[in-house]
Amino acid sequence: MAQVIVVTSGKGGVGKTTSSAAFATGLAQAGKKTVVIDFDVGLRNLDLIMGVERRVVFDIVNVITGEAKLNQALIRDKRVDTLSILPASQTRDKDALTKEGVANIIEELSKDFDYILCDSPAGIEKGALLALYFADQAIVVTNPEVSSVRDSDRILGVLQSKSKRAEEKRDPVKEHLIVTRYAPNRVEKGEMLKLEDIREILAIPLLGVIPESESVLKASNTGNPVILDDGSTAGQAYKDAVARFLGEDRPHRFIDPEKRGFLSRLFGGRAA
Amino acid sequence: MSWLDVFRGKTKPPPTSAGAAKERLQIVLAHERISRAGDDFLPRLQRELIQVVARYVAIDPKAVNVSLDRGGDMSTLAIEVELPPPSKDDTGTTNPADLKPEARAS
């Protein structure tokens, strides 16, 4: 039986799709059969971040309406062979998604995959509610910003009241926190919320801290999930997070300001 | 803080914006988590209060102002009811002065 994981945040632009792409790729690299579904119907972007935009023929709405078989809509990743992508529709609106339709897709995928990642749209409307409804686990992506932390708290409330697990009064959805765009130097100056403060406020287990990094933009420019960039701190942080998710005990890195040497301070230059 | 500050007697760092962020978040979330369970009661409270006051005094329902200030330790609920000027043919069941124009509860 596959595990269904929703990647959600409430607020937009905090790194849900980047995290979904990185996490799905990381799980697949670890040998887990993984599929990542874009739930942002009307504003699909996972295909671009994953670099498969030119291979999209059918999408999740085509499968729900019966215009295409699930196998026809799934895109096999060319870099990691245990990874598949189910794109969202770009032309339809969110009403094209139905609970029954999504339930059928998840049930069918459960037969072939170990992990089903649901990349949620922003907000708490239908698309976001359907993305989290079937979840066994949730990855809540948060920026060290008041608006993002507040929205994450709100989405945690939704997970605890509107998910299928909550409705059926089963064990609650297992929650994980990923803090993205963390800048230890700004934290040290008192300009940015501390990791400890975010943890204290949201009070859910921390899965990973992704440092602010130029390589994230570079990765999306080229359509390669940042986790494939071994030289990048963000990629390494996602790798650590995936390993922790799979049960490994790894210390958190990139959470303290880097000690810069005299020459580096003199000549500038920034971390990758 | 520069090392010279030690001699200038400035040892306490100034409050940071991150500290303000934490404090504001803690307060707003404490309230949002409570109200998550129930619906927003303020419109209903305002309606019922108007009904009660209107039973004793002729008031303009639009001249009622309910405001809430949520604080960390204490919240203030202020209800402001504008009373009409006393008219001569008042039957006098209630003395309008008994109704305080502003009632405070926390």
Side-chain angles (χ1 to χ4, degrees):
Chain A
M1 196 59 192
Q3 280 282 303
V4 182
I5 309 164
V6 61
V7 180
T8 187
S9 70
K11 189 177 182 296
V14 298
K16 281 184 297 297
T17 301
T18 299
S19 296
S20 296
F23 221 79
T25 307
L27 285 171
Q29 281 179 317
K32 308 290 179 190
K33 282 183 263 173
T34 307
V35 57
V36 55
I37 308 175
D38 189 350
F39 272 82
D40 205 345
V41 172
L43 291 168
R44 81 166 169 231
N45 273 321
L46 182 68
D47 56 337
L48 267 179
I49 303 300
M50 294 293 301
V52 298
E53 71 278 6
R54 288 193 289 182
R55 295 170 62 203
V56 176
V57 184
F58 296 112
D59 56 59
I60 186 170
V61 174
N62 296 135
V63 178
I64 287 176
T65 56
E67 293 155 344
K69 291 250 161 53
L70 183 54
N71 279 336
Q72 296 175 295
L74 284 179
I75 303 170
R76 283 278 295 271
D77 191 88
K78 286 185 174 164
R79 295 154 297 210
V80 191
D81 63 0
T82 45
L83 178 61
S84 294
I85 298 113
L86 179 58
S89 166
Q90 184 68 323
T91 50
R92 311 287 273 272
D93 62 31
K94 295 206 181 349
D95 292 329
L97 288 179
T98 62
K99 202 178 262 183
E100 298 71 36
V102 175
N104 290 337
I105 288 176
I106 287 186
E107 197 190 327
E108 207 176 326
L109 290 173
S110 292
K111 293 174 197 152
D112 299 325
F113 290 93
D114 300 315
Y115 289 104
I116 302 170
L117 250 83
C118 303
D119 180 21
S120 173
I124 47 172
E125 305 290 316
K126 191 172 185 186
L129 291 180
L130 275 176
L132 66 79
Y133 185 72
F134 298 96
D136 300 304
Q137 307 198 41
I139 295 175
V140 177
V141 182
T142 306
N143 284 171
E145 242 180 77
V146 285
S147 50
S148 175
V149 175
R150 179 199 215 169
D151 290 358
S152 291
D153 190 76
R154 178 89 174 87
I155 210 79
L156 285 168
V158 174
L159 275 165
Q160 289 153 13
S161 61
K162 300 224 166 108
S163 62
K164 190 162 187 266
R165 279 178 171 266
E167 278 184 6
E168 292 174 356
K169 297 194 163 47
R170 286 191 287 149
D171 290 341
V173 177
K174 195 172 173 200
E175 299 154 341
H176 310 270
L177 177 66
I178 285 197
V179 176
T180 55
R181 309 200 65 166
Y182 195 65
N185 292 315
R186 303 198 66 187
V187 171
E188 195 185 37
K189 287 189 218 152
E191 297 172 355
M192 183 181 271
L193 275 168
K194 271 189 271 193
L195 179 63
E196 289 320 306
D197 294 343
I198 303 171
R199 292 182 73 172
E200 185 190 327
I201 291 167
L202 292 178
I204 62 171
L206 180 70
L207 189 59
V209 182
I210 314 302
E212 173 82 67
S213 159
E214 288 174 4
S215 57
V216 173
L217 181 59
K218 217 191 296 169
S220 71
N221 285 344
T222 55
N224 287 303
V226 70
I227 198 167
L228 294 172
D229 183 352
D230 291 327
S232 110
T233 51
Q236 292 169 38
Y238 274 119
K239 268 215 163 77
D240 287 352
V242 171
R244 276 183 216 113
F245 185 85
L246 294 172
E248 232 180 273
D249 189 19
R250 287 198 186 181
H252 291 281
R253 296 190 276 169
F254 320 115
I255 54 177
D256 295 313
E258 55 174 325
K259 300 276 176 280
R260 300 180 70 184
F262 173 71
L263 282 177
S264 128
R265 258 187 289 179
L266 201 62
F267 294 112
R270 296 172 72 174
Chain B
M1 196 169 72
S2 136
W3 61 274
L4 276 171
D5 290 343
V6 177
F7 300 106
R8 293 189 189 121
K10 278 195 226 157
T11 46
K12 213 173 154 193
T16 62
S17 66
K22 184 189 182 187
E23 205 180 302
R24 290 175 59 220
L25 265 173
Q26 279 176 324
I27 291 172
V28 74
L29 289 183
H31 288 286
E32 284 180 359
R33 283 168 186 160
I34 295 167
S35 60
R36 205 179 274 163
D39 56 344
D40 192 5
F41 65 91
L42 274 185
R44 202 154 28 100
L45 175 68
Q46 176 166 357
R47 207 171 50 241
E48 288 178 16
L49 279 168
I50 294 171
Q51 283 169 1
V52 172
V53 179
R55 222 180 283 159
Y56 300 95
V57 222
I59 53 164
D60 179 6
K62 288 187 201 87
V64 178
N65 187 22
V66 179
S67 68
L68 185 63
D69 184 18
R70 297 179 157 126
D73 308 320
M74 193 188 73
S75 301
T76 312
L77 175 67
I79 297 153
E80 209 179 294
V81 182
E82 201 180 294
L83 296 178
S87 56
K88 295 235 168 74
D89 54 290
D90 201 332
T91 46
T93 45
T94 332
N95 181 1
D98 287 344
L99 283 168
K100 295 228 172 76
E102 200 167 271
R104 279 177 187 275
S106 64

